[in-house]
């Protein structure tokens, strides 16, 4: 299996679509389809369930997703380390969980201009972010799960909100001020299967709802963009980070359901011997 095949598979897995993967990679849809088919034939295993309108990862596909992300991340990290050759007291690499990477940190770095510290962003899962910081491969970590290891110092840097959304055609069928209890009447719901899942699960449980009964078992989507794309069919409600959904709500492509909300705080952390105050201050200025 080549790095190129891994990259093609990852795009298809993240977006649940060969067409979207092809657009992201700048290749044809047939090239993506042929690549996935060759992988499946070579290893004699199905990576996607193609019975529905959207691609859904099989168990083998889930394993490959996790391992391919780790392998390609380690390759990228090695390249960054070779290229950076930075002094030990300067921040260069920040490992971020997916939502912080996709919707927060790039905008902060761009808005901060020349005053923002030199920063390379690395996308990883929550446990991997912690591991990267622990072993010194990343200078800081940014995650929605507060780390508890005693070797870390940390600061709360920004916060999002998880909200319930739907396509306008479905939203019009719901009560204007739908509450948590009404969600069960419109199950199944979809939400991103990622580091956001524990926060979503805890929020639903606090409302005396069973997440296992609400979640659509056939739609294991691994990014907010894939969830938003799925909502175009107008058949499901979704739980989404407000920052990811806001542009679609403003454009009228999605509607927020009631005032349902689950807090989603984000933390920055580093080893105790690292000084992260300058970066924390820059982020605080951006979100204030």
């Amino acid at each position: 299996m080549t790095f190129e095949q891994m990259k093609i598979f990852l795009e298809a897995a993240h977006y649940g679509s060969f067409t979207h993967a092809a657009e992201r990679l700048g290749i044809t849809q047939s090239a993506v389809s042929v690549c996935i088919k060759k992988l499946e034939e070579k290893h004699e295993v199905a990576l996607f369930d193609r019975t529905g309108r959207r691609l859904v990862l099989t168990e083998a596909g889930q394993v490959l997703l996790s391992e391919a992300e780790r392998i390609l991340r380690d390759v990228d990290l090695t390249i960054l380390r070779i290229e950076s050759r930075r002094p030990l007291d300067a921040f260069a690499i920040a490992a971020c969980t997916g939502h912080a990477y996709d919707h927060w940190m790039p905008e902060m770095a761009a808005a901060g201009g020349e005053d923002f510290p030199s920063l390379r962003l690395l996308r990883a899962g929550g446990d991997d972010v912690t591991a990267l910081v622990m072993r010194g491969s990343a200078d800081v970590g940014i995650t929605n799960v507060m780390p508890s290891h005693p070797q870390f110092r940390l600061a709360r840097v920004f916060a999002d909100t998880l909200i319930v959304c739907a396509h306008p055609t479905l939203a019009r069928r719901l009560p204007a001020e739908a509450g948590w209890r009404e969600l069960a009447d419109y199950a199944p719901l979809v939400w991103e299967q990622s580091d956001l899942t524990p926060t979503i699960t805890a929020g639903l449980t606090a409302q005396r709802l069973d997440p296992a009964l609400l979640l659509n078992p056939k739609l294991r989507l691994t990014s907010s963009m894939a969830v938003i794309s799925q909502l175009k069919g107008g058949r499901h409600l979704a739980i989404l980070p407000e920052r990811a959904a806001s542009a679609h709500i403003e454009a009228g492509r999605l509607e927020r359901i009631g005032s349902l909300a689950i807090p989603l705080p984000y933390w920055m952390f580093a080893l105790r011997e690292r000084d992260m105050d300058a970066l924390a201050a820059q982020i605080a200025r951006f979100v204030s």
Side-chain angles (χ1 to χ4, degrees):
M1 186 180 301
T2 67
F3 288 154
E4 188 62 27
Q5 287 174 318
M6 286 186 192
K7 290 178 180 178
I8 291 173
F9 166 78
L10 286 178
E11 290 295 335
H14 287 155
Y15 286 89
S17 164
F18 288 168
T19 300
H20 288 171
E23 292 173 354
R24 291 271 298 177
L25 295 166
I27 59 178
T28 64
Q29 187 271 341
S30 61
V32 174
S33 181
V34 168
C35 173
I36 301 301
K37 184 177 180 181
K38 285 183 177 179
L39 282 176
E40 292 178 323
E41 290 177 347
K42 180 177 180 180
H43 301 290
E44 299 181 348
V45 65
L47 299 174
F48 293 97
D49 180 354
R50 299 170 173 81
T51 56
R53 296 181 63 184
R54 292 190 58 82
L55 298 173
V56 178
L57 286 172
T58 63
E59 185 176 351
Q62 291 283 0
V63 172
L64 179 56
L65 173 66
S66 176
E67 292 302 310
E69 286 180 331
R70 178 186 60 80
I71 291 168
L72 292 177
R73 183 175 59 249
D74 286 348
V75 170
D76 289 341
L77 185 58
T78 299
I79 294 171
L80 288 176
R81 282 295 177 192
I82 292 171
E83 291 178 346
S84 64
R85 301 177 64 86
R86 71 200 191 291
L88 293 178
D89 61 348
F91 283 102
I93 299 176
C96 312
T97 49
H99 182 58
Y101 179 93
D102 291 338
H103 299 286
W104 283 93
M105 294 306 296
E107 185 177 348
M108 288 185 188
E114 295 181 358
D115 293 334
F116 204 85
S118 177
L119 202 61
R120 299 283 189 97
L121 301 178
L122 183 67
R123 196 181 199 273
D127 291 341
D128 290 331
V129 168
T130 301
L132 288 166
V133 175
M134 179 66 74
R135 68 175 185 245
S137 297
D139 301 296
V140 296
I142 298 172
T143 173
N144 56 289
V145 179
M146 184 173 68
S148 58
H149 199 285
Q151 291 193 42
F152 293 144
R153 59 195 302 256
L154 69 157
R156 181 167 169 167
V157 285
F158 48 84
D160 204 339
T161 304
L162 291 159
I163 61 175
V164 180
C165 297
H167 188 276
T169 57
L170 176 57
R172 285 192 288 269
R173 291 161 44 194
L174 273 71
E177 287 299 322
W180 289 109
R181 306 308 303 177
E182 281 80 14
L183 291 187
D185 297 332
Y186 291 89
L189 280 70
V190 292
W191 58 77
E192 178 181 334
Q193 301 297 291
S194 68
D195 296 295
L196 298 181
T197 302
T199 304
I200 294 172
T201 298
L204 292 173
T205 302
Q207 299 297 328
R208 299 183 180 180
L209 296 171
D210 186 346
L213 297 179
L214 291 178
L215 178 64
N216 190 323
K218 296 183 178 180
L219 288 173
R220 296 291 193 180
L221 304 176
T222 60
S223 74
S224 292
M225 293 308 298
V227 173
I228 291 170
S229 178
Q230 193 278 332
L231 291 185
K232 293 177 183 177
R235 294 190 298 170
H236 297 96
L237 299 178
I239 299 176
L240 284 163
E242 187 172 12
R243 196 169 182 87
S246 59
H248 299 272
I249 294 173
E250 291 173 4
R253 295 187 292 270
L254 294 179
E255 287 189 18
R256 180 172 179 175
I257 306 302
S259 57
L260 306 178
I262 300 172
L264 182 62
Y266 277 84
W267 306 85
M268 184 171 69
F269 62 99
L271 292 171
R272 290 197 169 275
E273 59 267 24
R274 303 287 300 187
D275 180 6
M276 65 181 193
D277 293 344
L279 181 57
Q282 287 286 353
I283 292 175
R285 279 195 286 272
F286 176 87
V287 299
S288 61

